[in-house]
C-alpha cells in the first residue's frame, strides 16, 4: 500500500464495503485532521527563514500546524518565550528585539515589536487526493493511514466494534511514531546544555 488508490482499495476490503467510494475523500480528510492534531515529528518540521516583523506580527504559513520554536534573528539568536495573547495585550507597543510571542489565528504576535525572527514550525501533512496520491506519511506509515481511515469509515457505517479496534491501533501508532521521532532527535550522544 503506497498511494491513494491502494488506500481506497484496502479500506474497502477491510470494511467489506464497495459502496463508500464517494465518501472516501471525507474519511481521509477526517483522519488527516486527527493526524495533524496529534503527530509532532521531524518529518513535519519546516524552517522559517529570517523574516522581518510587520508591526510585531509574523503571518503564519498556510500549512502551519504548531510552532516548534521561534527565535529573534540576532547574534547570537535568542529563543522567544511562548506566552498568551492576554499577556501581550497588556504590553504597550515597544520597539526592540522580541522576547515573547503568542499565536493568534493566522499570525504570531511578538513583543517587543521590531526586528526579525526565524524558527521551525510543524507543517500539516500534505493531503492525499486523487491528484496528490502520496506523501511522506503514506510512504513511512501506511498502517496509520489504513487504520485511521477505517476508523472514520466505521463512524459512517456505525460499526462500533471495528471503530474501537481501529482507534486503539491509531492511538498506539501515533504514540510510537511520536516517540521514535523524539528518540531519533536526541540520538547520537549524550544531551548537553547549551550556553546562551
Amino acid at each position: 500500500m503506497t498511494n491513494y488508490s491502494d488506500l481506497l482499495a484496502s479500506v474497502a476490503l477491510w470494511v467489506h464495503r464497495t459502496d463508500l467510494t464517494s465518501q472516501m475523500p471525507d474519511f481521509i480528510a477526517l483522519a488527516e485532521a486527527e493526524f495533524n492534531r496529534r503527530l509532532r515529528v521531524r518529518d513535519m518540521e519546516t524552517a522559517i527563514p529570517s523574516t522581518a516583523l510587520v508591526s510585531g506580527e509574523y503571518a503564519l504559513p498556510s500549512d502551519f500546524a504548531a510552532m516548534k520554536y521561534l527565535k529573534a534573528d540576532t547574534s547570537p539568536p535568542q529563543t522567544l518565550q511562548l506566552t498568551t495573547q492576554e499577556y501581550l495585550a497588556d504590553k504597550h507597543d515597544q520597539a526592540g528585539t522580541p522576547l515573547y510571542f503568542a499565536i493568534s489565528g493566522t499570525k504570531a504576535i511578538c513583543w517587543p515589536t521590531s526586528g526579525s525572527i526565524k524558527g521551525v514550525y510543524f507543517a500539516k501533512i500534505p493531503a492525499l487526493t486523487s491528484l496528490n496520491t502520496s506523501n511522506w506519511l503514506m510512504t513511512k506509515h501506511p498502517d496509520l493511514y489504513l487504520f485511521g481511515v477505517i476508523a472514520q469509515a466505521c463512524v459512517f457505517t456505525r460499526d462500533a466494534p471495528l471503530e474501537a479496534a481501529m482507534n486503539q491501533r491509531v492511538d498506539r501508532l501515533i504514540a510510537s511514531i511520536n516517540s521514535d521521532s523524539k528518540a531519533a532527535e536526541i540520538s547520537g550522544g549524550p544531551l548537553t546544555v547549551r550556553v546562551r
Side-chain angles (χ1 to χ4, degrees):
M1 191 172 64
T2 61
N3 58 41
Y4 181 83
S5 297
D6 293 345
L7 178 61
L8 298 188
S10 292
V11 172
L13 181 65
W14 278 63
V15 298
H16 308 290
R17 296 281 295 265
T18 58
D19 59 339
L20 300 175
T21 304
S22 61
Q23 289 81 27
M24 205 65 73
D26 289 344
F27 303 155
I28 293 171
L30 290 168
E32 288 172 338
E34 180 174 6
F35 302 158
N36 282 321
R37 284 191 297 272
R38 299 178 61 193
L39 282 174
R40 293 293 178 264
V41 295
R42 294 187 310 158
D43 295 283
M44 301 172 81
E45 292 178 11
T46 305
I48 299 170
S50 181
T51 306
L53 295 173
V54 177
S55 301
E57 296 180 357
Y58 164 69
L60 298 172
S62 58
D63 63 349
F64 176 86
M67 193 69 74
K68 181 170 185 181
Y69 65 81
L70 202 57
K71 296 185 176 198
D73 192 8
T74 54
S75 184
Q78 298 293 317
T79 301
L80 276 63
Q81 183 176 335
L82 177 63
T83 188
T84 63
Q85 296 177 52
E86 291 78 12
Y87 177 79
L88 294 185
D90 292 337
K91 300 283 189 187
H92 62 279
D93 286 346
Q94 178 180 321
T97 302
L99 302 170
Y100 301 94
F101 79 99
I103 302 298
S104 175
T106 59
K107 59 191 176 184
I109 302 170
C110 300
W111 185 90
T113 59
S114 57
S116 296
I117 52 90
K118 61 184 180 179
V120 170
Y121 72 96
F122 293 101
K124 292 177 183 175
I125 299 154
L128 278 187
T129 66
S130 58
L131 299 177
N132 184 48
T133 61
S134 194
N135 58 28
W136 65 265
L137 185 61
M138 173 59 83
T139 300
K140 286 189 164 186
H141 307 289
D143 48 351
L144 179 59
Y145 255 109
L146 177 63
F147 301 142
V149 175
I150 290 172
Q152 298 302 327
C154 288
V155 174
F156 183 83
T157 61
R158 295 176 173 80
D159 187 342
L162 184 57
E163 178 193 353
M166 293 300 102
N167 279 328
Q168 288 178 352
R169 288 179 179 240
V170 167
D171 290 345
R172 287 197 300 267
L173 282 168
I174 287 177
S176 175
I177 293 166
N178 280 333
S179 176
D180 289 349
S181 181
K182 182 62 75 175
E185 185 175 332
I186 61 174
S187 67
L191 291 177
T192 58
V193 176
R194 291 186 301 176
V195 178
R196 295 183 181 185

